[in-house]
Amino acid sequence: MWVPTLTFLLFTLSAICYGDNPGAKIQVTEHGLKKGVGYLLSKIKGNNTEYLLPDVAGSENIASEEIGYEFTQIRIEDFHLGSASSQWAPKTGMHVSMENGNATITCNWKLDSWLIKDGGSSVLTLTGLSISMVLGIYRSDPGVPSISLVECQASVLNVDVQMMGGVSYIIDNIKQPIQDVVRKTVQQQLCTALREQVKKQDQSFSHLNLNMSLNRHVGVDLSLVGSPEISDHYANLGLKGFFHSHNESHSEASFSPAPMTIPVQDGAMIYVGVSQATFDSLASSYYSAGFMTFLVSHMAGSKELTTTELAAYVPEISQHYPNPAPVEIQMEATRAPLVSLLANNMTVQFGGLLQTYANASQTKVENIFSVDVVVSLQVTFKLSEAKGAHGLNLTGSVEFVRLQIEGSQQAITAQKVVVAESGVQQLFHKVIIPVINENLASGVFIPTTFLKNGSVSIEKGFAVLAADLQ
Ligand SMILES: *[C@@H]1O[C@H](CO)[C@@H](O)[C@H](O)[C@H]1NC(C)=O
Ligand SMILES: *[C@@H]1O[C@H](CO)[C@@H](O)[C@H](O)[C@H]1NC(C)=O
Ligand SMILES: *[C@@H]1O[C@H](CO)[C@@H](O)[C@H](O)[C@H]1NC(C)=O
Ligand SMILES: *[C@@H]1O[C@H](CO)[C@@H](O)[C@H](O)[C@H]1NC(C)=O
Ligand SMILES: *[C@@H]1O[C@H](CO)[C@@H](O)[C@H](O)[C@H]1NC(C)=O
Ligand SMILES: *[C@@H]1O[C@H](CO)[C@@H](O)[C@H](O)[C@H]1NC(C)=O
Ligand SMILES: *[C@@H]1O[C@H](CO)[C@@H](O)[C@H](O)[C@H]1NC(C)=O
Ligand SMILES: *[C@@H]1O[C@H](CO)[C@@H](O)[C@H](O)[C@H]1NC(C)=O
């Protein structure tokens, strides 16, 4: 039924952690819960799915006679949940209730007593259906969500039974008592059926693997680090948030995110906090997987550069290249980039080898200079709705903060010239950063069908994505 899908909300929550701090947190506000529950219920309302319910049999004293009854082939033909409301249930999970629903059920019936032996088919119309339940949300080993039906109450205001087949004068006499039996049975069965569904869903959660692969090279561990922290106004779910590359036995022990508290706001439906430690593990995993070498001259937006133009930034080279020759620039990380987050300020520190080459002739490529640099760039992100597709468009830009040449340049033997720090800074400023910005501005498409109106803000130690559910 609809309960399994309800629980998708588990993936959109944040947590208290006994033990490790979460690397990422998801906070779902009341607004988010309402939207999520409403959306799921509306989807189910549209479904004219037939549910086969278990047979019901028993006996009842009707008109001072013990009559055995049996309802088989019970099908819910039509089901309206009525108006739903939902709240967070502090420390437990969520409270969902539905009022004034109705259902049309078909079944076969059989009555059996010493006086009556009769049977046929029937249509039951249930109105004034109400369900109130509390769904508990926990973490279970090894870091997957677990749910249970903590409380459930169901009531049916009115039942109308239309019995086809059978002898009508008998049916007229027993109709009211039969309706009472059906009402009582449905009230009991609804919660039993819900409990079964919740159990099934809980079982499927236990097979989840939240330590998953993103691609052939990199994986991310999004296991829950603790049970959800649930208050009146929001639920917080804490996730490990650790990225790792597959070909490197990364010391997970060095991953220790600082505690983070997402500021309580209620403008958006969900807030996702991502710690500096998680960003660092992301950078580190891509570095380990060998993704941190950039041929600047082959990147989009790069202009063809010659030794003559390069000499404008690093005059030291001019005497070696009287004739202009095409230039190649390559940046290669020599360690994992470091991310630093301050209020409204995300800075990435990139330590790497900057190399320039001249195509002196068709066959001769020579190294002009190579320097180890540490460059700091301030990064700004913007999220917008993607054009022409469901999802978000993440665009960014970088600003030059500083660059230093590291170590002794003389150690690099192949190079032709030794250049000054100011020249390399100029080269970065005027040539490399515009290329990076051109690439960041074209945007990265994030195919998310359930998030919209996203925005990113940077706090001390973490970034926050605020978004609404679709
Ligand atoms: C609703 O219908 C769709 C397609 O008709 C189906 O995939 C989905 O499982 C149904 N949902 C439920 C809760 O039965
Ligand atoms: C059941 O509820 C729906 C939606 O509220 C309504 O349109 C329909 O008439 C109701 N059916 C019965 C039998 O009351
Ligand atoms: C997650 O998976 C990676 C390999 O993909 C493994 O190295 C790591 O130990 C796993 N983490 C946990 C907590 O199981
Ligand atoms: C990991 O694999 C990439 C290629 O997929 C390779 O370039 C890199 O050197 C490897 N790293 C380690 C530590 O083996
Ligand atoms: C320099 O030469 C290499 C190899 O001949 C070639 O791949 C590269 O595209 C050339 N670069 C430029 C900027 O002409
Ligand atoms: C951002 O933070 C870095 C240090 O992480 C600092 O060097 C830089 O000046 C800051 N930028 C602004 C605009 O405050
Ligand atoms: C993302 O935004 C950039 C800049 O506005 C735009 O050029 C690009 O087409 C957008 N991409 C998508 C998928 O919307
Ligand atoms: C988008 O979010 C902002 C702030 O998070 C809010 O002020 C605005 O109303 C939202 N817009 C829509 C269309 O939901």
Side-chain angles (χ1 to χ4, degrees):
M1 286 172 84
W2 49 275
V3 177
T5 32
L6 244 188
T7 47
F8 102 102
L9 281 162
L10 290 175
F11 294 101
T12 40
L13 320 177
S14 126
I16 195 153
C17 19
Y18 31 85
D20 300 329
N21 286 323
K25 263 191 183 184
I26 303 174
Q27 181 172 91
V28 182
T29 62
E30 274 178 289
H31 195 36
L33 174 70
K34 281 199 170 66
K35 175 76 180 190
V37 169
Y39 164 77
L40 291 166
L41 297 186
S42 76
K43 274 213 97 152
I44 286 134
K45 261 185 219 168
N47 261 18
N48 235 359
T49 327
E50 295 182 357
Y51 303 102
L52 204 54
L53 294 182
D55 294 351
V56 176
S59 67
E60 194 76 9
N61 198 308
I62 295 172
S64 27
E65 189 179 345
E66 198 65 15
I67 299 182
Y69 60 83
E70 204 180 287
F71 297 98
T72 56
Q73 296 287 304
I74 307 173
R75 283 175 173 276
I76 298 177
E77 300 289 351
D78 194 14
F79 192 36
H80 295 269
L81 289 163
S83 54
S85 63
S86 49
Q87 289 101 39
W88 291 116
K91 296 193 168 66
T92 310
M94 57 176 99
H95 178 209
V96 180
S97 57
M98 279 145 294
E99 298 281 332
N100 208 19
N102 64 51
T104 307
I105 296 172
T106 60
C107 63
N108 293 337
W109 59 274
K110 223 193 238 165
L111 297 179
D112 188 9
S113 73
W114 69 271
L115 191 64
I116 313 167
K117 284 199 189 350
D118 212 347
S121 62
S122 75
V123 178
L124 316 181
T125 310
L126 278 54
T127 48
L129 207 69
S130 299
I131 304 169
S132 167
M133 59 171 205
V134 174
L135 212 54
I137 308 170
Y138 319 92
R139 170 198 182 274
S140 80
D141 278 330
V144 293
S146 171
I147 54 167
S148 71
L149 193 60
V150 177
E151 268 176 54
C152 180
Q153 273 157 9
S155 64
V156 179
L157 212 58
N158 192 42
V159 177
D160 180 55
V161 179
Q162 303 280 320
M163 291 167 124
M164 275 76 77
V167 184
S168 66
Y169 83 88
I170 300 176
I171 291 169
D172 288 345
N173 274 314
I174 59 168
K175 191 172 168 169
Q176 189 54 47
I178 289 283
Q179 288 180 168
D180 293 342
V181 169
V182 169
R183 208 178 78 187
K184 205 173 76 190
T185 310
V186 168
Q187 287 180 173
Q188 287 163 358
Q189 290 266 320
L190 265 176
C191 284
T192 309
L194 280 173
R195 189 160 282 118
E196 276 309 304
Q197 289 296 326
V198 169
K199 226 181 246 160
K200 263 193 212 153
Q201 186 61 37
D202 186 48
Q203 292 244 294
S204 74
F205 281 154
S206 67
H207 304 306
L208 275 181
N209 183 7
L210 295 177
N211 184 13
M212 55 189 120
S213 266
L214 289 178
N215 53 45
R216 277 198 312 122
H217 307 282
V218 173
V220 62
D221 187 353
L222 293 178
S223 305
L224 301 184
V225 295
S227 273
E229 170 203 300
I230 299 169
S231 78
D232 283 327
H233 303 296
Y234 58 84
N236 275 334
L237 208 91
L239 313 176
K240 179 106 188 172
F242 175 63
F243 287 87
H244 44 83
S245 87
H246 295 322
N247 68 352
E248 171 215 38
S249 50
H250 200 280
S251 59
E252 199 173 322
S254 67
F255 180 72
S256 62
M260 87 174 113
T261 306
I262 298 176
V264 175
Q265 308 157 76
D266 61 359
M269 295 184 187
I270 67 167
Y271 294 91
V272 181
V274 180
S275 67
Q276 183 169 307
T278 292
F279 280 110
D280 280 337
S281 74
L282 173 66
S284 169
S285 65
Y286 274 87
Y287 168 69
S288 304
F291 281 104
M292 291 278 175
T293 302
F294 309 99
L295 259 176
V296 178
S297 7
H298 289 189
M299 286 164 74
S302 70
K303 293 176 184 61
E304 279 180 28
L305 193 67
T306 64
T307 44
T308 312
E309 284 146 335
L310 185 61
Y313 312 120
V314 278
E316 296 89 337
I317 72 162
S318 53
Q319 66 191 85
H320 298 279
Y321 297 96
N323 301 316
V327 168
E328 292 266 0
I329 302 173
Q330 181 181 307
M331 238 350 251
E332 179 191 340
T334 47
R335 54 183 180 265
L338 286 176
V339 176
S340 132
L341 300 170
L342 298 171
N344 298 316
N345 179 346
M346 177 178 199
T347 308
V348 177
Q349 195 192 69
F350 186 94
L353 180 63
L354 173 73
Q355 302 183 84
T356 59
Y357 296 93
N359 280 15
S361 70
Q362 287 290 4
T363 51
K364 192 165 167 238
V365 177
E366 61 185 16
N367 183 226
I368 311 170
F369 65 87
S370 299
V371 277
D372 275 312
V373 296
V374 183
V375 55
S376 292
L377 302 173
Q378 196 177 328
V379 188
T380 315
F381 285 119
K382 211 178 127 234
L383 275 171
S384 57
E385 305 302 307
K387 286 174 224 134
H390 274 298
L392 298 171
N393 189 8
L394 178 69
T395 50
S397 66
V398 296
E399 250 177 74
F400 184 84
V401 178
R402 80 181 71 82
L403 178 145
Q404 284 169 304
I405 288 181
E406 257 199 338
S408 158
Q409 301 168 55
Q410 269 67 15
I412 297 156
T413 50
Q415 68 190 22
K416 271 205 108 121
V417 285
V418 173
V419 293
E421 194 168 75
S422 62
V424 180
Q425 284 169 352
Q426 282 284 309
L427 176 65
F428 237 88
H429 230 327
K430 299 281 168 51
V431 177
I432 300 177
I433 287 184
V435 172
I436 297 174
N437 278 333
E438 176 106 12
N439 281 272
L440 291 177
S442 66
V444 176
F445 175 60
I446 305 171
T448 135
T449 47
F450 63 93
L451 293 183
K452 64 170 182 183
N453 198 21
S455 62
V456 183
S457 62
I458 308 293
E459 309 281 337
K460 186 172 166 17
F462 59 98
V464 181
L465 160 74
D468 287 340
L469 296 167
Q470 231 9 312

